[in-house]
Amino acid sequence: MAAMRSTSAATSAATAPDIATVLRIAAPAPEHAGEVLTVQRAAYVTEAQRYCAPGILPLRETVEQIRADLEGAGPTLVARAAWIGPRLVGSVRGRVEGQAMEVVRFTVAPDLQGGGVGRALLAALHAAAPPQVRTFWLVTGGRSEDNKRFYRAAGYEVVGTALDDAGVELVRMERPRG
């Protein structure tokens, strides 16, 4: 998940209504690609700033690429988005390869981070994974402590490190299904 929540986001989340009563999670349609991109860019800009790496992949993805992804959703791509009223506030995609699903482009609007949207989205993605998926995995920034803490709380553990094409140190995290 991209971006740490700010103090104002924490205050906003604390005074917001119970997220479970207002949050709707469903598969996004191709026509939601623009909204997905908007939230994705807002969420990942903080990560790009943290690493002085404006060229990270989530910021280079285009609306056309997202639309194509959403059009291709099926057995090898699972997508979920979260809405509060008419506003898309988060999304996540899972790419299935064999018995593993890679969690990608996991984003929550910065003003709502820390309020339960991310937990609900991740749980929905896990639940929607095809039955053959036995392992979930993802990468996040090596210095993104809030992200690593969030994923550990969801059962993920660090299993390796790598550098991305923008020179950002990443950690690979995995969790078993179940």
Side-chain angles (χ1 to χ4, degrees), residues 9-23:
T11 302
S12 173
T15 60
D18 178 20
I19 202 75
T21 64
V22 295
L23 191 67

Side-chain angles (χ1 to χ4, degrees), residues 143-167:
R143 296 191 319 248
S144 301
E145 295 304 323
D146 283 351
N147 294 351
K148 291 189 294 187
R149 193 171 20 263
F150 172 84
Y151 291 124
R152 280 188 193 105
Y156 286 80
E157 295 182 16
V158 173
V159 296
T161 61
L163 284 179
D164 73 4
D165 66 350

